[in-house]
Structures are given as C-alpha cells and as structure tokens.
Amino acid sequence: MSGTLLTDIVDNIEKVIIGKRNSVELIVLSLICRGHVLIEDVPGVGKTSLVSSLARSLDCSFRRIQFTPDILPSDITGFSLYNQKTGEFEYRQGAIMSEVILADEINRTSPKTQSSLLEVMEENQVTVDGITYKLPQPFIVLATQNPVEYLGTYPLPEAQLDRFFMKVMLGYPSHEHEVKMLERFRSANPLDTLKPVATASDIIGIQKQVENIYVDPKVTSYIVALVGCTRESNDVVLGGSPRATLSLSKASQAFALYSGRDYVIPDDVQKMMPGVMSHRIILKQDAKLKNRTTMSVIVSALEKVKAPVV
C-alpha cells in the first residue's frame, strides 16, 4: 500500500517533470527518511518546478528562499518584535516555517546564514530569544547550488555537506523528453492543474513504516564495509562519515518499502549508494588532476566489497 502511494506521488510529479524519474524517486525517498536534499545543477533544468510539484502532490505548504549575500539568519528563522499595545515581544515567523522549502542557490549567501539553515534542518526546530518553535511536519529542505558560476559563492564546507541526506543532479533532458516537454507546456503549465495524491499525515505514517523495514545483520555489515571502503581509498581526503552509514541504511530501508518489500536486500544498498555518498566524499587534488571522480570511488567500493547472500 505504501509503495503504491509513493509510486502515485512520483507519477504525479512526472506530469510536470519529464524524463527524470530516478531523481524524483530519490527526492521522495529522502522525504520519507526525514532527510534533506542537495540539488546541484545548472539553471533552467526544472529545480523549482520539481519542488513545487512535490509540495502540490502532497498538499503541503511551500516556500522558496532566494539566497543572496545580504540575507540574514533572522530572515530564515524569524525574529521577536516588540508589540507596543501588549507590551510583549511577539514571534514573527521566518521563511523556514513551511513543510517544503526550496533553498535556492544556498552557496550564494554567507557561511553564517548557511549555518542557521543547516542548524534548523538538523534540529527540526527554531529557537529565538530562548523560546523553541517546532517546525511543521513533514519537513524537507531542497537546496540548490550552481556548479558553473563560482564567482561570488561561499562553497558549503564538508561538515555542512554531510548534513544533506542525498545529492541529486537533474541534468539536461534527452531530445525525446525535451520534445514532450514542449508539447506538454505549449498550451498551459501542467503545474497549475496538479492535484494532490497524498496528505501530510500519509507521509508521516510512511516515515514510521520505514523504520520497521527489516535489515539483516549481513546487510548491516555490508553497509558498514562499503562506507569504510570509501575512507580507505587513496584518492580521498575524506570518506563517508558515520552519519553517511546511517543515511545509507535508512535509504535502503526506504527503497525496500518503495519496492514493496519489508526487508532490505544488497541491491537496495547498491542503488542508494551514489545518491547518499557522492557529496560526502572529498577527493585529493592529485586525484582530480587524474580525472578521478567521487563516482569512481563509489564504483570501486562496490566492486571490492562482496555482497552477502541473504
């Protein structure tokens, strides 16, 4: 039942986003794992439309935060304002008080503002003047960064990159899919007529189901060995962290549920590893000069570590 509902959400988003099913699936899986997503891609490939489609498919509130050098942490978290009539300070909500957040061009704002957002992502709450305010649920941040224009950017440090559950790249559509896109958008934007296929309470229920997906001890050992292998590579400065191990296990559980199973198999782990690990592996400079990539490190780990028979 849960797998069918997740498929319905993916299918609904595909009414707007054409030919990117794998990326859409990864984002939906991150949502049911209570994780956040980093989308790295060039402008114009549909990042905003994708996030808007997700919010409408779930009947959830959606806000877009356009990150610029002058945006302040209080713009995100909110602030206290003195009310002269009541003689008390009142909390004015920041942009983060929504269920689906698009943090557009996160690497164009200052490290201080970046940190305020990432702290909220980790804690699922906002603290202003000593008072804590819970975020609405479900809650997901989809942050974008541009890989082409580096002028005027503040790259996310390794510790902050590690807080993102997955990294997704949309890429340009194929010729066939771009033709379909023109035909579909010629008369009207399909986003305007998109109807919800699930509710926020449905997602919260599925999030609880993910935690009950069985992971065999052999598969757990396999996950740990794969992440450990990325740390031992001669090409990396930094491999997968223990948080990466937790994320890979959780993502595998979510993919098993999406596939209609109540247990994880090694194939689930292998399919989730690129999305979970690609942004967490930091290459040495000489490895980059040799055209090594994070994907080559991941492929090497999958080849070296033997999958268990479950």
Side-chain angles (χ1 to χ4, degrees):
M1 179 63 181
S2 300
T4 303
L5 184 58
L6 294 176
T7 302
D8 290 342
I9 296 170
V10 173
D11 290 342
N12 203 51
I13 294 173
E14 279 202 309
K15 293 177 181 178
V16 178
I17 305 299
I18 303 168
K20 301 298 176 185
R21 189 174 185 86
N22 182 61
S23 299
V24 173
E25 288 174 341
L26 292 178
I27 289 172
V28 172
L29 293 176
S30 298
L31 172 67
I32 64 172
C33 290
R34 299 186 177 92
H36 307 286
V37 183
L38 179 64
I39 307 174
E40 183 178 282
D41 228 314
V42 295
V45 294
K47 298 186 290 290
T48 303
S49 296
L50 171 57
V51 182
S52 300
S53 302
L54 174 67
R56 293 201 178 191
S57 297
L58 306 177
D59 196 20
C60 287
S61 55
F62 164 60
R63 285 189 183 179
R64 174 179 177 174
I65 307 173
Q66 185 65 51
F67 281 84
T68 56
D70 60 346
I71 192 171
L72 300 174
S74 59
D75 296 327
I76 296 172
T77 60
F79 55 91
S80 294
L81 185 67
Y82 183 72
N83 188 323
Q84 292 183 341
K85 292 183 179 180
T86 61
E88 296 179 348
F89 283 93
E90 296 178 351
Y91 172 62
R92 296 295 176 90
Q93 290 186 357
I96 200 66
M97 284 295 179
S98 190
E99 291 164 319
V100 180
I101 299 290
L102 172 60
D104 211 9
E105 295 188 308
I106 188 175
N107 56 339
R108 289 207 177 275
T109 192
S110 67
K112 185 176 181 180
T113 305
Q114 290 175 357
S115 297
S116 68
L117 171 68
L118 294 165
E119 182 181 358
V120 173
M121 288 164 50
E122 186 74 13
E123 303 295 334
N124 275 323
Q125 62 186 26
V126 173
T127 302
V128 178
D129 294 335
I131 302 175
T132 299
Y133 304 92
K134 291 288 185 181
L135 293 175
Q137 295 298 323
F139 174 68
I140 183 171
V141 172
L142 297 107
T144 70
Q145 63 177 8
N146 193 327
V148 177
E149 299 171 10
Y150 293 104
L151 188 63
T153 61
Y154 303 86
L156 292 174
E158 293 83 352
Q160 294 184 359
L161 282 172
D162 196 38
R163 292 176 185 268
F164 285 98
F165 187 79
M166 281 197 190
K167 178 182 174 182
V168 172
M169 299 183 72
L170 293 178
Y172 290 116
S174 66
H175 177 85
E176 178 188 356
H177 290 139
E178 201 157 4
V179 169
K180 287 183 178 178
M181 179 192 73
L182 288 175
E183 293 172 350
R184 191 173 297 182
F185 280 76
R186 185 163 289 137
S187 57
N189 189 339
L191 183 63
D192 296 336
T193 57
L194 202 66
K195 302 295 183 184
V197 295
T199 64
S201 59
D202 290 332
I203 297 303
I204 293 171
I206 296 174
Q207 288 175 340
K208 294 176 182 177
Q209 291 180 38
V210 171
E211 299 169 356
N212 296 323
I213 299 297
Y214 175 71
V215 185
D216 189 274
K218 292 180 182 178
V219 176
T220 299
S221 180
Y222 180 55
I223 293 170
V224 173
L226 283 173
V227 177
C229 192
T230 66
R231 302 168 191 161
E232 297 163 4
S233 172
N234 294 325
D235 291 333
V236 306
V237 176
L238 194 68
S241 66
R243 184 188 278 122
T245 310
L246 290 168
S247 298
L248 183 55
S249 179
K250 180 73 74 175
S252 302
Q253 288 177 292
F255 190 77
L257 180 68
Y258 178 63
S259 302
R261 282 180 276 104
D262 59 359
Y263 58 91
V264 175
I265 60 176
D267 281 357
D268 300 333
V269 181
Q270 294 164 6
K271 288 175 182 175
M272 292 297 100
M273 192 168 177
V276 172
M277 298 297 300
S278 61
H279 60 294
R280 292 180 159 105
I281 297 172
I282 309 300
L283 294 172
K284 293 179 180 177
Q285 194 60 39
D286 60 337
K288 294 178 182 178
L289 294 174
K290 295 175 183 176
N291 293 323
R292 300 281 199 277
T293 63
T294 55
M295 194 61 202
S296 65
V297 175
I298 292 169
V299 170
S300 177
L302 290 170
E303 290 174 349
K304 287 180 180 179
V305 181
K306 185 178 179 181
V309 178
V310 180

